[in-house]
Amino acid sequence: QVQLVESGGGSVQAGGSLRLSCVASEYSSSSYYMGWFRQAPGNEREGVAGISATGVTAYVDSVKGRFTISQDNAKKTLYLQMNSLKPEDTAMYYCAASWGFYGSVSDMLQKYKYNYWGQGTQVTVAS
């Protein structure tokens, strides 16, 4: 059973930055993909960014140019650098992972594609 542990959330002013981290207990396969999702109260969980084992990335339009997903395979760690944060970015952020092939690039932003989830880390952006 893969465990994912997120950290790095917090409260910032609009325009500020945060970097989220997600440590995986293992990579069960050389073929995998990971992603960041977020969920605000009353909203559906939405895909924010995804990355494959080979470094292919996907972003939801609302964060393009502001957020960057990256990974350190040696540390089994996934990152989400979030710059120019806006109040609408306020949400619980979740790390997710799955093994195998993701399909199309946009599929990495679909929650049904993922088997493993972290507990989440809260991001609050004040105006």
Side-chain angles (χ1 to χ4, degrees):
Q1 183 75 9
V2 176
Q3 293 185 335
L4 303 172
V5 180
E6 305 99 331
S7 62
S11 297
V12 296
Q13 293 290 319
S17 298
L18 285 172
R19 188 175 81 156
L20 306 183
S21 299
C22 171
V23 179
S25 59
E26 62 179 281
Y27 285 172
S28 297
S29 168
S30 61
S31 178
Y32 65 87
Y33 48 97
M34 299 184 74
W36 287 101
F37 288 74
R38 66 186 179 188
Q39 187 168 18
N43 289 358
E44 292 281 331
R45 188 171 298 190
E46 69 165 347
V48 175
I51 188 167
S52 74
T54 58
V56 175
T57 58
Y59 295 94
V60 68
D61 286 347
S62 60
V63 308
K64 286 180 180 177
R66 300 188 298 122
F67 291 11
T68 303
I69 189 171
S70 63
Q71 59 189 345
D72 184 330
N73 292 339
K75 296 182 179 179
K76 299 179 183 176
T77 302
L78 180 72
Y79 301 101
L80 184 68
Q81 178 66 44
M82 305 186 294
N83 298 329
S84 302
L85 282 161
K86 304 176 181 180
E88 51 263 44
D89 294 318
T90 295
M92 184 72 78
Y93 282 70
Y94 298 90
C95 172
S98 198
W99 316 130
F101 185 60
Y102 49 86
S104 65
V105 173
S106 62
D107 281 350
M108 286 195 283
L109 301 181
Q110 303 301 318
K111 56 183 182 288
Y112 75 91
K113 296 288 288 187
Y114 290 86
N115 296 324
Y116 304 103
W117 293 85
Q119 293 301 306
T121 185
Q122 178 68 37
V123 172
T124 302
V125 184
S127 57

